[in-house]
């Protein structure tokens, strides 16, 4: 471990002229005034270190064309002067506590810095003083005496080096809340946890640290939390020796727990507190691991939901969670069952339609051993299904319970009902001016306006055409309106449709004139990605038109939509 201390030495160069000859004055090295005022630098170290080093760096900014040399001397008179001026009682460092390996230091020609090292022995210094606090009274007084003239009243560059001694400390970064683990009764799948710590020294020996877990710790937790946990038996967990990274000063422990053989009628607690004889341990929070043992429980998430289908292939996720890890892979398989639509409609008082099974592709998954979550995916072919025609669909997906381990309990409905609506009405997930403008993958497109597509408050027709959607850039009455021309293919791409737009922010125009003020450069709806791109300009009013001052809208709106529940 090395500390660095910089002393600034300035060299002034004078150039007197005598006839045609040039004579140079000697290099003048001026000590750093700030250093002379303070006279003291403090070097932090750790009290148990056998050896440490401190590098003194001299720096100069002038006189770089000449070499310069300093003698290094220890001058205990500097301590007396400091004590007298500051009312202190510092003492010379015992010679056995440090070594300055050189008697001089030199600047090479054109060199800006020169260094020398002080080697010291923190542990021996503390032992000689009797305590770290007493050892902090020891200082090393040294002077750098230039071998040429110095433009300074002190005629030397001096400093006092004092050491501050920290105790070797390990800090445990334990979370405030207990870590909760659930095991499946009779299924021996170990779970691994990690507990991180920090050290303030590089010579840590993990063999000098140990964790304790006692019944008294559990009793204290139960009393504070009105709980009745049992102490986790010692044969149900292990803590490894710990891995110390001396460069990063981090210590990582691995904790392995397997409680699958314990009584499911109880909750168990593992409290861990780090202790050491040679180091100081700081642990603000007890590290708690709370353990429960249950039967095999599967939960199907989000079993009744509604989504807006804006893409040609609408994606659906079917998520299943397990309450604890198993030793083997578990198939998570769903089947599409449109026969359940009628019963669902009867229970909801609705008239949802079913989609033909040929449009639905289910990709099943497996919950791999040791994990507690799996997701099956669905792709729904929406090609040829009209937007905003009033039709609403429901797709039932049934979990195949026969593929689950024997004795499994389903904690939710085993059927997922996904309601679909082919619509562009609603609030879009759009890019706005606070987003990263480069997030779009479409070259040349950025979003420079704050805009959001919302459901229209009422039907509207402008110049004989319906404009069913609105971006509330301003308001409904002074906003920006658009519609998709479903019969107009954009750019020859069968999956893109032309978007027509106009702005009502213009002043003094009737509706037909407002449309005429819009200059569209290629706005379109991409049905593959569910993204609407806008690229047009308009005039705010006649004055702007006369000056050809245009308002520019170049942005994109992305699905999925957030729509009103149906």
């Amino acid at each position: 471990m090395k500390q660095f201390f910089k002393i600034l030495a300035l060299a002034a160069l004078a150039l007197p002229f005598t006839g045609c000859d040039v004579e140079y004055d000697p290099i003048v090295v001026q000590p750093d005034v700030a250093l002379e005022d303070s006279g003291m630098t403090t070097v932090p170290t750790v009290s148990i270190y056998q050896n440490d080093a401190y590098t003194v760096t001299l720096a100069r900014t002038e006189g770089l064309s000449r070499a310069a040399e300093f003698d290094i001397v220890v001058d205990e008179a500097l301590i007396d002067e400091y004590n007298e001026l500051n009312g202190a009682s510092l003492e010379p460092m015992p010679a056995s506590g440090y070594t300055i390996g050189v008697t001089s230091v030199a600047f090479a020609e054109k060199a800006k810095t020169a260094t020398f090292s002080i080697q010291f022995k923190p542990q021996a210094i503390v032992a000689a003083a009797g305590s770290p606090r007493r050892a902090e009274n020891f200082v090393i007084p040294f002077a750098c005496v230039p071998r040429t003239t110095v433009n300074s009243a002190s005629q030397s560059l001096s400093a006092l080096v004092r050491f501050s001694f920290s105790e070797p400390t390990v800090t445990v970064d334990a979370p405030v809340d207990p870590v909760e683990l659930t095991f499946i009764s009779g299924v021996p799948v170990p779970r691994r946890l990690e507990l991180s710590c920090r050290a303030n020294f590089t010579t840590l020996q993990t063999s000098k640290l140990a964790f304790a877990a006692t019944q008294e710790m559990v009793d204290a937790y139960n009393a504070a939390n009105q709980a009745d946990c049992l102490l986790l038996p010692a044969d149900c967990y292990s803590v490894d020796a710990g891995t110390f990274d001396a460069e990063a000063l981090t210590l990582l422990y691995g904790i392995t727990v397997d409680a699958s053989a314990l009584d499911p009628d109880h909750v168990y607690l593992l409290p861990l507190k780090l202790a050491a004889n040679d180091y100081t341990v700081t642990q603000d929070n007890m590290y708690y691991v709370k353990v429960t043992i249950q039967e095999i429980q599967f939960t199907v998430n989000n079993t009744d939901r509604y989504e807006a289908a804006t893409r040609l292939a609408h994606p659906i996720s079917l998520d299943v969670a397990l309450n604890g890890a198993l030793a083997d892979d578990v198939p998570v398989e769903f089947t599409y069952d449109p026969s359940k639509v009628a019963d669902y409609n009867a229970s909801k008082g609705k008239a949802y339609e079913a989609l033909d099974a040929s449009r639905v592709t289910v990709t099943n998954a497996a919950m791999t051993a040791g994990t507690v979550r799996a997701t099956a995916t669905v792709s729904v072919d929406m090609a040829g299904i009209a937007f905003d025609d009033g039709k609403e669909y429901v797709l039932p997906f049934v979990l195949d319970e026969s593929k689950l381990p024997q004795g499994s309990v389903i904690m939710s409905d085993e059927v997922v009902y996904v309601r679909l609506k082919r619509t562009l009405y609603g609030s879009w997930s759009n890019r706005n001016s606070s987003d990263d403008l480069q997030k779009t993958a479409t070259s040349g497109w950025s979003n420079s306006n704050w805009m959001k597509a919302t459901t229209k408050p009422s039907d509207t027709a402008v110049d004989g055409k319906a404009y069913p959607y609105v971006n509330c850039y301003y308001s409904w009455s002074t906003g920006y309106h658009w519609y998709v021309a479903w019969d107009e293919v954009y750019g020859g791409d069968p999956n893109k449709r032309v978007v027509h737009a106009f702005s009502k922010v213009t002043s003094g125009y009737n509706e037909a004139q407002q449309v005429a003020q819009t200059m569209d450069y290629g706005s379109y709806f991409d049905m593959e990605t569910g993204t609407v791109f806008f690229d047009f300009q308009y005039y705010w009013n006649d004055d702007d038109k006369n000056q050809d001052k245009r308002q520019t809208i170049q942005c994109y709106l992305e699905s999925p939509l957030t729509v009103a529940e149906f």
Side-chain angles (χ1 to χ4, degrees), residues 78-98:
L78 295 172
I79 300 177
D80 297 333
E81 293 174 6
Y82 184 90
N83 286 340
E84 184 177 351
L85 288 172
N86 296 278
S89 56
L90 301 178
E91 304 173 48
M93 173 74 72
S96 60
Y98 73 99

Side-chain angles (χ1 to χ4, degrees), residues 267-278:
V267 176
Y268 297 86
L269 188 70
L270 172 61
L272 291 177
K273 186 173 180 62
L274 191 63
N277 292 325
D278 298 306

Side-chain angles (χ1 to χ4, degrees), residues 431-437 447 450:
R431 300 297 184 195
N432 57 52
S433 57
S434 65
D435 287 327
D436 180 358
L437 303 184
N447 182 35
W450 187 291

Side-chain angles (χ1 to χ4, degrees), residues 289-301:
V289 181
K290 185 182 288 188
V291 175
T292 57
I293 300 90
Q294 299 176 349
E295 58 195 350
I296 303 175
Q297 298 176 356
F298 288 92
T299 301
V300 184
N301 297 322

Side-chain angles (χ1 to χ4, degrees), residues 72 75 97-98 101 132-133 169 216 233 243 270-271 279 286-287 367 381 403 431 441 446 448 474 505 533 560:
I72 300 171
D75 185 358
Y98 73 99
R133 182 181 293 274
T169 302
E216 289 74 17
T243 301
L270 172 61
Y279 311 136
M286 183 77 74
Y287 183 70
M367 190 175 296
D381 180 10
K403 302 295 179 66
R431 300 297 184 195
S446 64
S448 57
Y474 299 100
V505 299
F533 292 92

Side-chain angles (χ1 to χ4, degrees), residues 299-305 344 412-418:
T299 301
V300 184
N301 297 322
N302 204 3
T303 57
D304 193 352
R305 63 184 111 146
Y344 185 81
S412 63
D413 193 337
E414 70 276 9
V415 183
V416 180
Y417 294 96
V418 181

Side-chain angles (χ1 to χ4, degrees), residues 195-212:
L195 177 58
S196 60
C197 308
R198 292 170 284 120
N200 69 339
F201 61 106
T202 60
T203 57
L204 183 146
Q205 299 178 49
T206 58
S207 60
K208 294 184 176 182
L209 294 163
F211 282 99

